[in-house]
Amino acid sequence: MDDDRFKGRFLGVLGGMGPMAGAAFMTRLIALTPGECDQQHVPVILWSDPRVPDRPAGHAGQGVDPLPWMQNGVNHLVQAGAQAIVIPCNTAHLWYEPLAAESGVPILHIVQAVIDDLRRQGVDRGHVGVMGTATTLKSGLYQRALEAQGYECITPAGVRLEQCCADSIHLVKTNCLDQAYAPAAEVVTELRRRGADAVVLGCTELPLAIPHARRAGLGIAMTDSIDALALAALEWYRHSEE
Amino acid sequence: MDDDRFKGRFLGVLGGMGPMAGAAFMTRLIALTPGECDQQHVPVILWSDPRVPDRPAGHAGQGVDPLPWMQNGVNHLVQAGAQAIVIPCNTAHLWYEPLAAESGVPILHIVQAVIDDLRRQGVDRGHVGVMGTATTLKSGLYQRALEAQGYECITPAGVRLEQCCADSIHLVKTNCLDQAYAPAAEVVTELRRRGADAVVLGCTELPLAIPHARRAGLGIAMTDSIDALALAALEWYRHSEE
């Protein structure tokens, strides 16, 4: 079990929130890895426990606290050999500080990954539209970080747009990916009309609602929190030492 | 860590062979799970170590033995709490017996999952075309099990069809999914012409080469070793006791 041959820089993925976002992270991590054979890919352990209590309800104090569940997952990943961790769930990052304080290994922050991806796309200032769960948006998770780094934020304020975000996320969670596109695209279009130079898909269900092939048609730079996190993980893997 | 709240029937997935097949297994497991919310999905631990030495070379005695790497993955999965294991790689099943003998938990066999899926589709006898790596086909892994259960097998014999299978699998492994379709479809068409009543996509890269949306156009029943294994895992989850 402790044979040196098997050691390596394993990435730990705390998935399950929701399960499809964790699987999509795996798919994109692999698709974004340059390589000609299996052996060039990043070793990964995915802990996908979809029983983690609902994050928005927990954050509102109206449900079971999800933090111990997430800590349990992080502990299992570290014990199994993960040397860095990613969490492909934006709302879960509301518990980033207590998770990172106890993990013992770095947790790559999804919001910083998104901001790095904006810069990678040449968007280094201006107005950024942020989409996500109502909980993520109300918490200011993205807005604080974006404003601290020189951006101005536009959120999908208003009952209709908030409902569109929520509907799209719910449709992805119920495996209705085709139907999830229209409400998400409506929000992107409205954020663009309000002056956004780029849009952040700040919930890991949203990149599944607006698949890559349909993005160019929306006519605005878009950063996808799944791809951004996968690119951050690949950077970590390239630059870390065993 | 041993808090009872967190216990549950975890499925262990020995992935990484190749990495995209493991991710595709996760995606299909989730897509095939009926449910309205995250919490109804199967808890999964995926061990994706793409560094496992090449299976065809290892089986031919021309490369490093992959078995200790697979055993290492199985050990990690069991130690992390997996109560049953699936291996979304057909060729890896050439080492099924030594893996199953030491795992301590059931390993759901991909070939039996495929045969169960053929029956689920109403194909309970007749000629079955089998596609896969040259190593899987030459080993008779599928042919023995299919013939023992009353089917007759047709393999893509001949230099051209063997090359088409190999090309398609290689294109998937190098993330060229669009180009992987044509050679795989050519083999399906030829197997049908030779009298197959159904075709087994007996390499976990092949379902990615022939995506679901294009299957009806090929005019023959098709069973996909990723979906079949995901359905077997869902059966295990539904019927097992904690």
Side-chain angles (χ1 to χ4, degrees):
Chain A
M1 199 79 175
D2 290 306
D3 191 322
D4 274 353
R5 275 182 298 177
F6 307 131
K7 289 204 173 146
R9 283 162 298 144
F10 273 85
L11 176 72
V13 181
L14 186 65
M17 302 178 285
M20 195 56 102
F25 173 83
M26 291 297 304
T27 301
R28 295 299 299 162
L29 178 74
I30 296 156
L32 291 167
T33 302
E36 284 289 310
C37 67
D38 293 353
Q39 290 74 14
Q40 294 170 331
H41 284 264
V42 182
V44 179
I45 313 159
L46 165 66
W47 180 265
S48 177
D49 189 350
R51 302 169 307 161
V52 175
D54 186 63
R55 281 69 63 195
H59 195 252
Q62 291 164 351
V64 175
D65 182 7
L67 179 60
W69 289 79
M70 293 190 251
Q71 284 170 325
N72 176 59
V74 167
N75 289 342
H76 272 93
L77 287 169
V78 172
Q79 199 178 50
Q83 294 186 5
I85 286 175
V86 293
I87 309 174
C89 172
N90 287 276
T91 307
H93 281 73
L94 295 172
W95 290 269
Y96 178 85
E97 283 73 20
L99 286 170
E102 288 193 13
S103 61
V105 303
I107 301 182
L108 312 182
H109 199 299
I110 200 165
V111 173
Q112 192 54 49
V114 161
I115 296 177
D116 291 345
D117 189 52
L118 279 173
R119 295 213 182 94
R120 196 181 285 119
Q121 295 191 39
V123 182
D124 51 11
R125 60 198 163 82
H127 292 80
V128 174
V130 183
M131 293 170 65
T133 62
T135 303
T136 300
L137 295 178
K138 280 185 192 130
S139 75
L141 182 75
Y142 270 95
Q143 296 93 312
R144 273 195 307 280
L146 282 162
E147 285 163 13
Q149 295 181 52
Y151 297 91
E152 289 178 76
C153 294
I154 305 176
T155 52
V159 173
R160 171 149 185 93
L161 293 193
E162 283 172 14
Q163 193 58 50
C164 281
C165 275
D167 286 350
S168 180
I169 293 165
H170 180 71
L171 286 161
V172 171
K173 284 188 184 285
T174 52
N175 283 330
C176 302
L177 270 62
D178 289 344
Q179 292 158 258
Y181 175 76
E186 182 176 334
V187 181
V188 172
T189 303
E190 179 61 15
L191 289 169
R192 182 184 165 202
R193 201 191 59 76
R194 292 188 193 170
D197 301 302
V199 168
V200 168
L201 304 178
C203 167
T204 45
E205 267 74 29
L206 291 171
L208 301 168
I210 308 182
H212 287 82
R214 302 184 79 165
R215 289 187 195 168
L218 290 168
I220 185 166
M222 217 171 287
T223 179
D224 153 344
S225 50
I226 292 182
D227 278 16
L229 194 61
L231 291 168
L234 289 172
E235 283 284 305
W236 165 77
Y237 188 68
R238 265 194 294 270
H239 295 297
S240 62
E241 298 287 327
E242 291 207 32
Chain B
M1 200 78 174
D2 290 305
D3 191 320
D4 274 353
R5 275 181 297 177
F6 307 131
K7 290 204 172 142
R9 282 162 297 145
F10 273 84
L11 176 71
V13 180
L14 186 65
M17 302 178 284
M20 196 56 103
F25 174 83
M26 290 299 303
T27 301
R28 294 300 299 161
L29 178 74
I30 297 156
L32 291 166
T33 302
E36 283 289 310
C37 66
D38 293 352
Q39 289 74 15
Q40 294 170 330
H41 284 263
V42 182
V44 178
I45 312 160
L46 165 67
W47 180 265
S48 177
D49 190 349
R51 301 169 306 162
V52 175
D54 186 65
R55 281 68 65 195
H59 194 255
Q62 291 163 350
V64 175
D65 183 8
L67 178 61
W69 289 79
M70 293 191 251
Q71 283 170 325
N72 176 58
V74 167
N75 289 342
H76 272 93
L77 287 168
V78 172
Q79 197 178 50
Q83 294 186 6
I85 286 174
V86 293
I87 309 174
C89 171
N90 287 275
T91 308
H93 281 73
L94 294 173
W95 290 269
Y96 178 86
E97 283 73 20
L99 287 170
E102 289 192 13
S103 61
V105 303
I107 301 182
L108 311 182
H109 200 298
I110 201 165
V111 173
Q112 192 54 49
V114 161
I115 297 177
D116 291 345
D117 189 52
L118 279 173
R119 295 212 181 93
R120 196 182 285 120
Q121 295 190 41
V123 182
D124 50 10
R125 59 197 163 84
H127 292 80
V128 175
V130 183
M131 293 170 65
T133 62
T135 304
T136 300
L137 295 179
K138 278 185 194 134
S139 74
L141 182 74
Y142 270 94
Q143 294 94 312
R144 274 195 307 280
L146 282 163
E147 285 163 13
Q149 294 182 51
Y151 297 91
E152 289 177 77
C153 294
I154 306 176
T155 52
V159 174
R160 171 150 184 92
L161 294 192
E162 283 172 14
Q163 193 57 49
C164 282
C165 274
D167 286 350
S168 180
I169 293 165
H170 179 73
L171 286 161
V172 170
K173 283 188 185 285
T174 51
N175 282 331
C176 302
L177 270 62
D178 289 345
Q179 293 158 257
Y181 175 76
E186 181 175 337
V187 181
V188 172
T189 304
E190 179 61 15
L191 290 169
R192 182 184 164 201
R193 200 191 61 74
R194 293 190 193 168
D197 301 300
V199 168
V200 169
L201 303 178
C203 168
T204 46
E205 267 74 29
L206 292 171
L208 301 168
I210 308 182
H212 288 82
R214 303 184 79 164
R215 290 187 195 168
L218 291 168
I220 184 165
M222 217 172 284
T223 179
D224 153 343
S225 51
I226 292 182
D227 278 17
L229 193 62
L231 291 168
L234 289 172
E235 284 283 305
W236 164 78
Y237 189 68
R238 266 194 295 271
H239 295 296
S240 63
E241 299 286 328
E242 291 206 35

